[in-house]
């Protein structure tokens, strides 16, 4: 009797679990269908307008044409994606590393902060489009100027955020470290850097998309490979479907980088900063 | 009683001083000129004593505690902790501090937070020897089984227990507590008061405890140091001659109420 009861109970729980999974799936579907429907709707509308008003392809191609070009020219698109991806990543790494190092310097020396912060602000105010030709003149046509432009565009948000993050430590925590006779290095490694991680990742999310912009802008000037060069070429030759395909690819690159940063953040930051806990 | 590692120093004689302040004056340079936070404070605290400190805001209770912890320099007078300058006692891990915030590292587990004092300070001359096993401390503060939890998964009271365990890991001779239960609700605060008395008796450490609460000051302390403000100075030292162990029911007894009433009267003149 008891055995039967147990079996029944077990069956009940599996049934309940299955029901739960079903509910969760239904919920995911409920969350996902509106944006999906919106995207499909916009694409259909776009195609209808292009076909209905007989818009010439060179002015605005329909989504069908863009997809067809993408499939047809895939190897060529990939050949141009890699240089841009490499420049973006190298610029991302370079710009953010320098920004973090300078932020650490700022936190440890008021003098350094007072001396160099205005310069950092000034560099940030120069439009990236305006500085690109200068860098191309100095560094030539290779990867270097593109990497530097991508690095420059990442640099400032990270510098500001990480400086703030390194300083946003509870004063009592610093007092604790003093009572423990901790050195400045120990305070940096065990308190300041870990507590600045959420600030760093906020900046890295911005940088993950802007570094692609930097690389592309760099490629606009005197370059014959890369998505930026392809955009210029496609525009001048009125190859609009190719232009659209390139733009979609560039956006996808940024989305991939953004997703990687977000996943990394989720792995690294498992704690919650709540005012009473720090 | 507790394990040998936690036993009180066997030879803590009556004339053993944990803390001695002689004419301590602390001034701050502010935008409005020189501010005297503490003026001519002289005080002796016996080894193993529980001293509570009470006074209006701005009377310099926290300043006094920070001076003992070598967090603030004195402008005049001398501070001697276990017969040596505060900075030396600090490096020898004889001083521990518990703040109003638990000041836990949010990314470290409970057990790693408790062990933090063993990980830092050697480069600056800290002497760290024969710590209390962290598991033992965890049991003492009633958090057995939560060693892998992160601070945000704990309640405010539990976080403060972790902070107390962390403060005890190096056998401090003197434990400085700056309104450690000030942010907790009254039920948790009462509970932790009882537990703190038990921990004090198990470890035999000297405790200086700053509080805003008259009942807390009377319930915990063997003596209450009452400070007056502007400038911060000693108003009166009141003996609380009630036997230990004390339990919460004591608070309803006439002898408790009488002493609390006396403190309240003194406080009104501070």
């Amino acid at each position: 009797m008891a055995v039967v009861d147990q079996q029944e109970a077990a069956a009940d729980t599996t049934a309940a679990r299955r029901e739960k999974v079903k509910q969760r799936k239904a919920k995911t579907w409920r969350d996902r269908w509106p944006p999906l429907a919106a995207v499909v709707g916009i694409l259909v509308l776009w195609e209808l307008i292009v076909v209905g008003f007989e818009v010439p392809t060179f002015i605005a191609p329909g989504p069908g044409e863009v997809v067809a070009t993408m499939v047809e020219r895939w190897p060529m698109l990939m050949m141009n994606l890699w240089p841009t991806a490499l420049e973006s990543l190298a610029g991302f790494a370079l710009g953010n590393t320098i920004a973090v190092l300078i932020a650490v310097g700022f936190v440890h020396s008021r003098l350094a902060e007072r001396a160099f912060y205005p310069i950092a602000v000034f560099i940030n105010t120069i439009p990236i489009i305006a500085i690109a030709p200068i860098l191309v003149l100095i560094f030539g046509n290779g990867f270097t100027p593109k990497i530097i432009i991508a690095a420059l565009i990442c640099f400032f948000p990270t510098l500001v955020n990480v400086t703030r993050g390194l300083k946003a430590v509870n004063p009592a925590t610093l007092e604790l470290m003093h009572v423990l006779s901790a050195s400045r290095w120990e305070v940096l490694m065990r308190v300041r850097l870990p507590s600045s991680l959420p600030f760093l990742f906020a900046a890295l999310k911005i940088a993950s998309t802007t570094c692609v912009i930097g690389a592309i802008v760099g490629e606009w000037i005197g370059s014959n490979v890369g998505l930026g060069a392809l955009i210029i070429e496609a525009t001048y030759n009125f190859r609009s479907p190719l232009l659209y395909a390139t733009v979609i690819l560039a956006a996808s690159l940024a989305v991939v980088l953004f997703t990687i940063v977000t996943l990394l953040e989720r792995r690294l930051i498992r704690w919650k900063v709540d005012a009473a806990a720090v | 009683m507790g394990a040998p590692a936690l036993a009180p120093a066997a030879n803590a004689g009556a004339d053993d001083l944990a803390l001695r302040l002689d004419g301590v004056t602390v001034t701050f340079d502010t935008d409005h000129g020189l501010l005297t936070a503490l003026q001519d404070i002289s005080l002796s605290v016996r080894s193993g004593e529980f001293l509570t400190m009470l006074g209006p805001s701005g009377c310099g209770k926290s300043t006094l505690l920070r001076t003992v912890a070598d967090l603030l320099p004195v402008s005049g007078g001398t501070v001697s902790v276990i017969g040596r300058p505060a900075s030396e006692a600090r490096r020898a891990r004889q001083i521990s501090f518990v703040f109003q915030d638990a000041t836990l590292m949010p990314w470290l587990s409970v057990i790693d937070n408790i062990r933090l004092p063993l990980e830092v300070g050697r480069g600056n001359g800290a002497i760290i020897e024969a710590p209390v096993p962290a598991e033992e401390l965890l049991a003492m503060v009633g958090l057995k089984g939560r060693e892998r939890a992160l601070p945000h998964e704990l309640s405010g009271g539990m976080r403060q227990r972790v902070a107390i365990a962390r403060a005890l890991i190096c056998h401090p001779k003197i434990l400085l507590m700056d309104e450690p239960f000030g942010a907790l609700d009254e039920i948790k605060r009462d509970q932790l008061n009882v537990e703190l008395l038990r921990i004090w008796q198990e470890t035999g450490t000297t405790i200086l405890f700053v509080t805003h609460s008259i009942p807390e000051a009377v319930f915990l302390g063997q003596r209450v140091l009452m400070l007056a403000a502007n400038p911060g100075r000693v108003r009166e030292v009141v003996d609380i001659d009630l036997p230990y162990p004390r339990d919460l029911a004591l608070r309803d007894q006439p002898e408790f109420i009488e002493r609390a009433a006396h403190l309240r009267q003194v406080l009104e003149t501070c």
Side-chain angles (χ1 to χ4, degrees):
Chain A
M1 185 64 203
V3 175
V4 173
D5 274 356
Q6 265 176 15
Q7 276 173 347
E8 259 172 27
D12 270 2
T13 48
T14 28
R17 208 171 303 139
R18 235 178 262 140
E19 186 59 29
K20 235 181 214 163
V21 170
K22 219 173 172 185
Q23 276 174 2
R24 202 174 313 137
K25 269 187 190 154
K27 187 181 178 302
T28 334
W29 176 238
R30 261 206 314 280
D31 289 346
R32 296 238 169 111
W33 79 259
L36 274 176
V39 169
V40 172
I42 288 170
L43 288 177
V44 169
L45 190 67
W46 174 12
E47 186 77 55
L48 284 178
I49 290 171
V50 167
V51 174
F53 291 89
E54 291 172 1
V55 180
T57 296
F58 71 91
I59 290 180
E65 264 178 299
V66 173
V67 170
T69 309
M70 206 170 222
V71 172
E72 200 179 304
R73 311 300 306 268
W74 189 250
M76 189 273 283
L77 284 167
M78 281 299 115
M79 251 171 54
N80 286 288
L81 172 69
W82 288 119
T84 309
L86 283 179
E87 290 154 9
S88 305
L89 276 176
F92 180 85
L94 183 72
N96 288 309
T97 308
I98 294 175
V100 169
L101 290 178
I102 292 181
V104 168
F106 278 4
V107 169
H108 287 94
S109 162
R110 277 289 294 146
L111 186 68
E113 184 172 7
R114 277 209 306 258
F116 293 111
Y117 196 77
I119 299 176
V121 174
F122 176 71
I123 289 173
N124 184 49
T125 55
I126 305 173
I128 215 74
I129 296 254
I131 210 168
I134 297 175
L135 291 169
V136 171
L137 283 179
I138 298 174
F139 295 103
N141 259 339
F143 279 166
T144 320
K146 287 104 183 173
I147 292 172
I148 292 177
I149 293 163
L152 264 180
I153 213 169
C154 297
F155 171 75
F156 194 74
T158 305
L159 175 70
V160 173
N161 263 296
V162 175
T163 305
R164 223 158 51 106
L166 291 171
K167 285 181 180 172
V169 174
N170 184 340
T173 302
L174 294 179
E175 288 187 320
L176 170 78
M177 294 306 272
H178 180 81
V179 174
L180 295 176
S181 311
S183 63
R184 287 175 110 186
W185 176 253
E186 285 169 334
V187 173
L188 176 67
M189 297 310 287
R190 290 177 181 272
V191 179
R192 290 194 188 276
L193 279 179
S195 58
S196 75
L197 277 184
F199 292 82
L200 173 66
F201 271 99
L204 290 187
K205 281 187 194 158
I206 301 172
S208 67
T209 56
T210 54
C211 70
V212 178
I213 299 176
I216 287 175
V217 168
E219 286 164 352
W220 279 357
I221 299 145
S223 184
N224 34 36
V225 283
L227 296 181
L230 203 55
I231 287 172
I232 297 289
E233 200 192 295
T235 310
Y236 286 163
N237 296 322
F238 297 103
R239 292 159 74 184
S240 305
L242 181 62
L243 174 63
Y244 278 54
T246 313
V247 168
I248 289 169
L249 214 55
S252 310
L253 174 60
V255 168
V256 167
L257 292 181
F258 184 86
T259 310
I260 292 171
V261 171
T262 309
L263 291 177
L264 216 67
E265 180 185 33
R266 252 185 242 162
R267 282 209 67 133
L268 280 175
I269 306 179
R270 284 163 187 250
W271 68 89
K272 274 197 200 101
V273 181
D274 109 45
V278 289
Chain B
M1 291 286 313
L6 295 167
N11 54 356
D15 34 65
D16 245 352
L17 283 188
L19 172 68
R20 191 189 168 90
L21 304 179
D22 270 313
V24 168
T25 298
V26 175
T27 53
F28 294 122
D29 250 331
T30 69
D31 294 340
H32 315 288
L34 219 56
L35 176 88
T36 306
L38 291 175
Q39 193 171 52
D40 196 24
I41 306 267
S42 294
L43 173 73
S44 292
V45 180
R46 277 178 293 106
S47 188
E49 183 174 347
F50 201 132
L51 177 80
T52 50
M53 292 157 68
L54 195 60
S57 328
C59 71
K61 307 182 292 274
S62 292
T63 305
L64 186 55
L65 222 52
R66 278 169 170 72
T67 308
V68 176
D70 188 36
L71 284 167
L72 288 173
V74 294
S75 322
T78 58
V79 176
S80 119
V81 183
I82 328 290
R84 62 217 299 201
S87 59
E88 272 181 37
R90 162 171 66 77
R91 274 194 283 275
R93 286 280 195 274
Q94 291 181 319
I95 302 175
S96 268
F97 208 113
V98 175
F99 300 88
Q100 179 165 4
D101 297 334
T103 61
L104 304 179
M105 306 299 155
W107 48 87
L108 292 184
S109 66
V110 163
I111 199 98
D112 289 339
N113 264 298
I114 293 176
R115 288 196 183 119
L116 179 73
L118 312 180
E119 308 283 324
V120 298
R122 283 194 178 83
N124 273 357
I127 304 154
I128 302 158
E129 46 196 21
V132 187
E135 293 76 15
E136 203 171 301
L137 289 168
L138 214 57
M140 182 159 72
V141 298
L143 282 175
K144 217 170 185 166
R146 303 306 302 270
E147 35 279 90
R148 306 261 45 110
L150 287 173
H152 78 263
E153 297 165 329
L154 304 178
S155 69
M158 286 166 150
R159 287 199 284 262
Q160 210 50 277
R161 288 162 194 264
V162 177
I164 292 171
R166 178 182 63 192
L168 292 174
I169 196 161
C170 288
H171 297 282
K173 289 276 177 0
I174 182 161
L175 180 57
L176 307 170
M177 307 185 86
D178 189 8
E179 298 186 43
F181 311 138
L184 304 180
D185 64 60
E186 210 170 325
I187 296 167
K188 282 227 182 73
R189 173 190 272 230
D190 287 350
Q191 214 177 352
L192 278 165
N193 278 341
V194 172
E195 290 196 35
L196 181 61
L197 282 184
R198 177 178 56 75
I199 290 168
W200 170 60
Q201 292 192 312
E202 275 180 35
T203 58
T205 187
T206 313
I207 299 184
L208 264 67
F209 189 105
V210 165
T211 177
H212 264 123
S213 149
I214 294 176
E216 193 170 51
V218 178
F219 182 72
L220 292 173
Q222 293 174 304
R223 288 192 296 161
V224 182
L225 174 72
M226 306 202 62
L227 295 169
N230 301 318
R233 60 197 185 278
V234 177
R235 176 72 178 72
E236 196 175 324
V237 181
V238 181
D239 274 309
I240 307 292
D241 49 348
L242 299 171
Y244 295 89
R246 298 174 181 172
D247 58 39
L248 289 171
L250 175 68
R251 297 189 172 189
D252 306 321
Q253 302 301 316
E255 61 265 34
F256 184 95
I257 293 165
E258 196 181 295
R259 283 162 185 82
H262 173 65
L263 291 192
R264 194 178 307 279
Q265 273 169 11
V266 177
L267 205 55
E268 271 160 17
T269 67
C270 281

